[in-house]
Amino acid sequence: MVRILNEGSKTVRKKLEILRGAAGAFRERGFEGAGMRDIAEAIGMAPGALYYYFKSKDDLLYFCQDYSLDRLLVEAAAIEKRRLPADEKLQLLIEAQLSCMLDELGGSAAHLEFHALPSRLLRGIIAKRDRYEAILRRIVEAGVRSRVFAPLDPKLVSLAILGAINWTIKWYRPGGGLGPQEIAETFSRLLIHGLSGRPTK
Amino acid sequence: MVRILNEGSKTVRKKLEILRGAAGAFRERGFEGAGMRDIAEAIGMAPGALYYYFKSKDDLLYFCQDYSLDRLLVEAAAIEKRRLPADEKLQLLIEAQLSCMLDELGGSAAHLEFHALPSRLLRGIIAKRDRYEAILRRIVEAGVRSRVFAPLDPKLVSLAILGAINWTIKWYRPGGGLGPQEIAETFSRLLIHGLSGRPTK
């Protein structure tokens, strides 16, 4: 995280803008199919200028995953510490992750293409992802312990929640009918109260 | 479906056995990274013998998606027709999809790699996938109409359910701690009754 912050926020903002643009190229050609040239074209940038920000697609991929996990880890740690019941914490976490993935990154598939990273970069990303998933699991576990939640397996529940959220990358279209906030509200109601449960509001 | 059935059930059974074996190679090297040679090695088959069943990785991919969607469509249509409340239909559908993906295909990533297919094959697969998703959505819609379910957006709910289920491909390991049946039970309870809801049994 230090490395990224040291790059200065203007560069980071520009990189995020590129990622949001790249998301469109990945949607159209698949993550493997879209090259640096397609990405440059999708964002109306000269390929040379794109290479100034990202040396390669691996570099772009690494930034996308590293930046988003750093951001999510900061937010998740803050949510975990708050004095709130588990269901409210979970709702905040679902909102934070969907907002990061869909708003800030524009629903970019790069966020989830772990296998595409070279293994020396992958290790650090997987360690961060595991820390994020551990926070989610602890929130679910705490809810089960305090009987805010039913006694379901916290690991399976966490994987179901991550699945529902991560899968949005496959179908979300920026500017389409449903915004990240609406998606977060319905997902929270579904996961916390269930299809047969009463809505929260 | 007719084409596949005409191949005779022995060939289909052998092809399914290959797919289950290939799942391990995809998990280890990523879907893009695993070639026909890696697949042959993973299943202890001579490459020539593998080519007898599948001409290429595209061919394997197409069979995997086409076969599983045909099977799921038959099961989903039968579930939709049954005279059961929507929550029971949904539970049966979740069980059917997880059993097909995790038991029969061994959790193979090939099931979800739509983008990797050439577009002439992709069209038919997407049409079948859309038909399957439409059945799921109709079951959710019927449950909302009959007030078995809360008034949540059936499209978003269906996408969340598919996300939770499809994401299992990313973490499921055959012979690991959790079997398809256990996963299906917890997912059904979570999605139908929610984390704060009462378990069904």
Side-chain angles (χ1 to χ4, degrees), chain A residues 108-127:
Chain A
S108 175
H111 175 62
L112 298 174
E113 295 288 339
F114 293 115
H115 256 296
L117 270 187
S119 57
R120 76 195 153 77
L121 295 176
L122 189 59
R123 248 190 309 273
I125 294 293
I126 285 185

Side-chain angles (χ1 to χ4, degrees), chain A residues 27 30 32 90 115 148-150 152 156-157 159-160 163-164 166-167 171 186-187 189-197, chain B residues 27 30 32 90 115 148-150 152 156-157 159-160 163-164 166-167 171 186-187 189-197:
Chain A
R27 267 191 286 275
E32 295 290 335
L90 183 59
H115 256 296
V148 173
F149 293 152
L152 297 175
L156 266 186
V157 164
L159 289 166
N166 287 335
W167 198 249
W171 55 264
T186 299
F187 277 23
R189 286 186 187 191
L190 173 67
L191 295 162
I192 295 169
H193 298 278
L195 263 169
S196 62
Chain B
R27 266 192 286 275
E32 295 290 335
L90 183 59
H115 257 295
V148 172
F149 294 152
L152 296 175
L156 266 185
V157 164
L159 289 166
N166 287 335
W167 197 250
W171 56 263
T186 299
F187 278 22
R189 286 186 185 190
L190 173 67
L191 294 162
I192 295 169
H193 298 277
L195 263 170
S196 63

